[in-house]
Structures are given as structure tokens and as C-alpha cells.
Amino acid sequence: GTPVRPAIVWLDSRARTLVPEIHNTLETNNLLNCVKNRVAPGLTLCPLVWLQRNEPQALACAETLLLPKDYIRFRLTNTLGTDVTDASGTLLYDIPARSWSADILSAFNLPPSILPDIAAPSEPAGTVAAELANSLGLDNQPIVATGAADQQASTLATGVLKPGLVQMMLGTGVQIASPTASGELELNGSLNYFCHHEGWLVQGSVQNGGSALNWVRSVLHADWDEVEKTAALHEPQGPFFLPYLTGERTPIMDEHATGAWLHLRHDTSRETTLYACNEGVAFSVADAVESLFTGLQLPPGTEIRCSGGGTRMPNYLQLLCDTLGQPLTVLPSSDSTALGAAILAGVASRTYAGLQPAVQALGLTAGESRHPNPERHSALARRREHRNRLRDEYLSWPLE
């Protein structure tokens, strides 16, 4: 029950130099079709191998691997475990078989004993421990649901449970996801394939979303209102920003990529520099959206439902909409992941008979629709073509 070291979060890229080796080991052992995902430094297998090489004592004394929500649930209930959705994002899981992979553990000489039992997200995992319930002033010990990964929890609130809908979560990163009934699609290697409540969830992942905006905000000593205000600008001759501060996943899958401002001049203002950051993130989001639509062969105009903290920034939202050139449905709450967790609790406690009744009772109804400005979309498309040429050349430069 005691953490053996500080957590290594998904944005951490310390394991990036191990990515080729880990990929080759999976490939040599015919395990790529099990994990269904391209190796990325933040996926759990990579930091585990890093610990094996650099902090073997931490791994040696570890009894159980817990993902973030699983540790919180352990503190609430004193029970260990995880769920199918979070497990499927670890590179330790056989996604078509929906079970842990003993072959992967063997290939990397990892102890099978550290993997917890797996349950469905809406299954009861236990009750709040008596001592904790008393300290919180509770008259009873409430049931605690197993829980789900953040995107799969959010889909319960946004109603993105069946194929034909897309969820866009605007947070520290930006995730664009859509369900599929098939676990055997051949996808662009930059897209993630995770288990969903039913079937699977295909996801495009932009690592540098709100985190890149926040970095620029802090470097330029701006407040969020100033960042938001500049998203409404349009500077056809302004600088470009590549937000790859922690490498990037969809679509470039380059853990070594770095960020840059390009085409700076003496007359480049603070406002246009901040605008470039908003635009650069919006272009990255558009890259991921296009990859997802292509991979799943979604028709143009497929509904995109937006949630997350970024929905509180109307100018940023409009810039995204104008960049994509298609409408966005903005849901009335930015806290869809927390609402999804509450829906799971409602099912686990038998307040609701199942996921569908709970979603119907508590899920978000469609909010406002954002529509693109055709003229601005055309101008942004030209800017994005220019940025693509600059990006491809920049990423081809040697690191040393």
C-alpha cells in the first residue's frame, strides 16, 4: 500500500530512447497485433522498462501496478484492481483477447504478479473504508465503482458510445475519439486502439494541447484572458508555432520532436506570437482529426462533440472550428469525465439498472453549435499548407 517512487505521468518522455528497442522486441515476438498500438514513451510498458534499467530496486519491491484512478480507489476502499479501458492503454494488454498478455511480460522479463485483477468499469470495487467514511462524516460506507480511463468515462457523459460519433476532449492534451465495433481494423500507426465499454475506441492523441498554451502563457507572462483574446486574430503573414514540447503522437509519432516558432521578425508583436500558439495547437488538432476520419472512413460532417477545459475559451473554439471547416457541438459542461465517473457510480450502486439508463438520465444534451467561417477557413487552410511544408522540413533536421 505504500508508493515505491513518485508516479511517472503520461507526458513524461524519459523512456523515449527505449522506444525502438521495445518496438523491436514486440515485433520479434509477434506481439504487435496484441497491443494494437504503436509504442510511445508515456504508455506504461515504456516507463516500466525504464525503471527496470535505471531503478531496478523500485521495480523489485513493487507489489502491484496501479494506474492513477486505481490508486485513488485503493485509498478509498483498500481494494486493488483496474478496469479493461485503462488496462488497454498500457501496452501490457492483449486488446483483441481483452486480457493481460503473459507473453508480453515474459518478453520483457516483467513480474506477472504486479498486474492487478481487471473488472468492468461499472462493477462495484468495494465500499468506502469505515475509518475514511467516519472521517468524511458519512453515515454509511458508499459503494465505489471500478471506474474507467478518462476518455471512456467522458464518452458516457457525451453519449459517444456507438460508431458514427466523435468526441473531442480539449484539455492538457487533446484527444479525438470514436467507437468502433471491430477489434481488427488496420489503422494508421499514430492512432490508438483501446477497449471501450462495448467494442473498441479509436483515438487520435495530441500531447501538446492546453499544456503548450500554458507554456507559452507562462513564458510570455500572459494571463489566460490574453491568450484567449488573441485566438480571434488572423495574421496571414505572422509567425508559425510548432507545439511539440514533449514530442508528439498523432499523426507524426515522433517522440524526439521539439517545438519552435518559425518566421519571427523584428515587427512580430506579442499578440501575434500568442496567436501563433493558438493557431499551432489548432493545426495539430486538425491533423489528428483528419487521421481519425481517414482511419475510420468517417464521412465529412460526422458530428464532433466537444468537452474539456478548452470549451471555456470561445475564441479558441472558433479557431478550431474555422481550421477544421466543419461544425462543432459544444457540450454544456466541461467536466464530462467527472460526470462519466458519476454515471459509473450510479450503475455500480444499482441506482440505475445499466449503462444505457444511466446515460439517458444523466448524460449531457447537445449544447451550442459552432459553425465555421468559410473565408477564414480558406485562409487558415493556406496557412496550414505552408506550415506543413515548414514542419516537415524542420522535423527532418538532425537533432545534433
Side-chain angles (χ1 to χ4, degrees):
T2 303
V4 301
R5 70 173 321 283
I8 300 174
V9 301
W10 65 272
L11 268 177
D12 192 297
S13 59
R14 72 184 70 197
R16 62 184 178 274
T17 58
L18 297 171
V19 167
E21 178 189 342
I22 292 171
H23 173 86
N24 289 338
T25 300
L26 291 169
E27 185 176 41
T28 300
N29 288 274
N30 297 315
L31 293 169
L32 290 176
N33 195 51
C34 291
V35 297
K36 284 287 185 184
N37 287 290
R38 192 163 161 180
V39 178
L43 299 182
T44 311
L45 173 60
C46 295
L48 283 179
V49 174
W50 186 91
L51 287 172
Q52 193 179 54
R53 305 285 176 81
N54 295 277
E55 298 180 15
Q57 70 284 359
L59 196 57
C61 70
E63 181 173 312
T64 306
L65 169 71
L66 293 181
L67 298 164
K69 65 101 172 51
D70 301 321
Y71 177 71
I72 294 171
R73 192 188 57 249
F74 164 71
R75 293 295 302 271
L76 288 171
T77 65
N78 295 323
T79 59
L80 299 169
T82 192
D83 84 292
V84 62
T85 64
D86 246 348
S88 66
T90 63
L91 295 180
L92 299 165
Y93 194 77
D94 186 330
I95 287 181
R98 298 175 88 95
S99 66
W100 292 123
S101 173
D103 292 337
I104 294 174
L105 292 168
S106 175
F108 291 94
N109 196 30
L110 293 168
S113 59
I114 66 170
L115 295 182
D117 292 338
I118 296 176
S122 59
E123 285 186 27
T127 59
V128 175
E131 183 178 348
L132 180 58
N134 289 335
S135 70
L136 293 173
L138 300 175
D139 294 332
N140 55 17
Q141 295 174 251
I143 291 171
V144 179
T146 297
D150 54 358
Q151 299 309 305
Q152 286 89 332
S154 181
T155 60
L156 296 171
T158 61
V160 180
L161 297 172
K162 301 291 183 183
L165 290 171
V166 174
Q167 172 177 281
M168 180 186 291
M169 181 61 64
L170 301 169
T172 303
V174 178
Q175 289 78 35
I176 302 97
S178 186
T180 177
S182 173
E184 296 294 341
L185 294 178
E186 293 297 326
L187 295 171
N188 173 337
S190 73
L191 295 171
N192 293 122
Y193 218 137
F194 299 137
C195 291
H196 205 22
H197 301 282
E198 293 181 5
W200 290 266
L201 191 71
V202 176
Q203 179 176 305
S205 302
V206 176
Q207 289 200 164
N208 303 280
S211 62
L213 294 173
N214 190 48
W215 178 80
V216 172
R217 183 197 62 78
S218 63
V219 166
L220 296 182
H221 301 286
D223 58 33
W224 279 110
D225 287 342
E226 186 178 7
V227 174
E228 158 67 2
K229 182 179 179 180
T230 60
L233 299 177
H234 176 56
E235 292 291 338
Q237 305 302 320
F240 293 90
F241 179 66
L242 301 180
Y244 308 140
L245 304 177
T246 59
E248 192 50 275
R249 287 163 69 177
T250 310
I252 65 172
M253 285 303 289
D254 186 347
E255 60 273 10
H256 297 289
T258 56
W261 269 293
L262 303 172
H263 285 202
L264 293 171
R265 300 177 182 276
H266 273 297
D267 61 355
T268 299
S269 68
R270 173 191 177 88
E271 288 73 21
T272 55
T273 306
L274 286 170
Y275 167 77
C277 177
N278 283 289
E279 183 189 70
V281 171
F283 286 175
S284 286
V285 173
D287 293 342
V289 169
E290 287 182 0
S291 293
L292 182 77
F293 272 60
T294 300
L296 288 177
Q297 298 183 342
L298 296 171
T302 296
E303 184 181 1
I304 300 175
R305 297 181 179 177
C306 300
S307 186
T311 60
R312 296 193 293 266
M313 301 171 65
N315 291 331
Y316 173 59
L317 266 179
Q318 190 60 47
L319 177 59
L320 284 173
C321 184
D322 292 338
T323 300
L324 292 170
Q326 73 171 75
L328 298 175
T329 300
V330 184
L331 296 172
S333 170
S334 62
D335 299 323
S336 59
T337 302
L339 178 56
I343 288 171
L344 292 173
V347 177
S349 64
R350 298 187 179 178
T351 304
Y352 298 96
L355 281 179
Q356 287 300 334
V359 169
Q360 289 174 4
L362 299 176
L364 298 170
T365 55
E368 65 168 320
S369 291
R370 290 267 173 173
H371 295 276
N373 178 316
E375 184 176 335
R376 194 183 189 205
H377 170 66
S378 297
L380 287 166
R382 292 191 293 272
R383 287 268 300 171
R384 191 165 160 229
E385 286 179 7
H386 190 184
R387 166 269 203 177
N388 288 348
R389 293 192 294 271
L390 292 171
R391 177 198 62 190
D392 294 346
E393 181 179 354
Y394 171 75
L395 292 178
S396 72
W397 296 349
L399 291 174
E400 297 179 359

